[in-house]
Amino acid sequence: MNLVLWTTAVTPEHYSVLRALKQMGYDGVELPITRGHAEKFDELGDVLESEGLECTTLTNLPPTSNPADADPAVRARALDDLKWVVDISQRLGSRSVAGPLYGTAGVFTGIGPTPGELARSAEVLHAVCDYSPDTLIALEFLNRFETYMVNTTGKAKQLARTVDAPNLRLVYDTHHAHLEESDHAQAIHEAGSLLSELHFSESHRGTLGTGLVRWPEIVKALGEVRFDGWVMVEAFAKDVQPLAKAAHVWRDVFTSKMNVAREGLAFTKDCFSGNGPRS
């Protein structure tokens, strides 16, 4: 379960959520990582261990730390921030850092990405991959309303080839793919062995199985490529800022957050049970 449904910075007030998710039957959680006191991450790691939850991590970079920026100082801050996230992730027991790590979401130039931007981004990504070879750096493409840099599996794979690092991987988010891909199966096959993580997220960002995402097509393709990575249930809520503003979440499409988690787990298990998804 992705904790972004509750927060962009996990604190002690969210430990009860972790406990509840474990009791529901979740194997792990995806944790948003933001700058803060390092001590809280040590405590969070202890809580995860005591609850028996594994984790992955994700992050977003601000405009002051944009890997694609023309200013070398801004790119240097991007690399420093990504290294810091990797260090914290390792302390939490995560060996995977996901997100739109190639740029800054919510910032637009009015045109598509330039060759220079992609080259600068690839240089920073290669450096962070080289910094921690045992950590998977997983690029998540976003829809056109959240970024102009990387909007499809094909573009993400093209950037990965430019980076050319053995620990670089891709994330497939079903919400973004619903908006940008014309064929889920083709996109998943294109990602192939680079695919390390799935974000199961509905077209409206609410409860899984109640929107327009074509789940049977996705699940069939995942079986064909023999995907064996993490599947994260992901939904957004309007009270989680600044994420809700950045992702344009103006209404909640669910009855309660815990119901999203409970229904999402059941739906995902159905998807991979052999019976197929319920919708």
Side-chain angles (χ1 to χ4, degrees):
M1 183 75 204
N2 199 324
L3 267 289
V4 294
L5 180 59
W6 287 269
T7 183
T8 58
V10 180
T11 63
E13 69 181 281
H14 302 108
Y15 293 168
S16 61
V17 175
L18 296 175
R19 189 169 301 110
L21 293 174
K22 179 62 179 181
Q23 291 172 351
M24 279 183 199
Y26 278 93
D27 299 309
V29 290
E30 185 150 82
L31 305 171
I33 302 298
T34 54
R35 285 283 191 178
H37 296 295
E39 291 78 6
K40 76 176 182 181
F41 293 110
D42 288 332
E43 181 180 79
L44 177 56
D46 292 339
V47 172
L48 291 172
E49 185 176 3
S50 67
E51 295 295 339
L53 284 168
E54 296 185 58
C55 77
T56 60
T57 57
L58 78 161
T59 196
N60 291 279
L61 295 166
T64 52
S65 301
N66 186 349
D69 200 279
D71 187 341
V74 175
R75 297 200 303 277
R77 282 194 294 271
L79 180 56
D80 286 343
D81 281 356
L82 287 171
K83 286 180 176 179
W84 179 84
V85 172
V86 166
D87 290 342
I88 294 301
S89 299
Q90 291 180 334
R91 287 167 62 175
L92 290 170
S94 170
R95 289 294 177 267
S96 176
V97 178
L101 311 177
Y102 40 78
T104 298
V107 173
F108 298 91
T109 62
I111 59 175
T114 66
E117 285 178 311
L118 292 170
R120 291 190 292 269
S121 180
E123 183 178 359
V124 173
L125 289 169
H126 186 89
V128 73
C129 286
D130 192 52
Y131 172 72
S132 183
D134 294 332
T135 302
L136 296 182
I137 305 300
L139 304 182
E140 179 182 1
F141 68 87
L142 305 183
N143 69 72
R144 73 193 74 178
F145 306 109
E146 295 182 35
T147 188
Y148 67 96
M149 285 288 291
V150 180
N151 299 131
T152 65
T153 302
K155 292 299 183 183
K157 186 173 182 179
Q158 189 175 36
L159 179 57
R161 285 174 173 167
T162 303
V163 176
D164 191 26
N167 54 327
L168 192 70
R169 296 290 188 272
L170 303 182
V171 179
Y172 193 84
D173 184 303
T174 58
H175 170 82
H176 299 301
H178 172 77
L179 292 171
E180 298 294 344
E181 301 287 3
S182 57
D183 187 318
H184 281 297
Q186 180 179 333
I188 289 169
H189 277 274
E190 185 171 17
S193 61
L194 287 177
L195 189 60
S196 66
E197 183 175 323
L198 265 292
H199 285 172
F200 266 28
S201 186
E202 260 299 354
S203 56
H204 50 43
R205 292 291 198 188
T207 307
L208 295 185
T210 64
L212 299 175
V213 173
R214 300 198 297 267
W215 297 106
E217 179 182 334
I218 292 167
V219 173
K220 183 175 184 292
L222 291 173
E224 290 168 348
V225 300
R226 299 184 179 182
F227 174 76
D228 63 354
W230 280 103
V231 178
M232 295 296 175
V233 175
E234 184 179 83
F236 288 177
K238 67 178 182 180
D239 66 343
V240 178
Q241 296 293 352
L243 178 62
K245 179 180 179 181
H248 310 140
V249 179
W250 315 127
R251 62 191 176 96
D252 290 334
V253 194
F254 51 79
T255 55
S256 74
K257 294 182 180 183
M258 282 302 174
N259 190 62
V260 171
R262 190 175 298 106
E263 289 294 312
L265 180 62
F267 180 85
T268 305
K269 285 186 173 181
D270 281 350
C271 282
F272 295 99
S273 68
N275 299 320
R278 292 176 291 172
S279 66

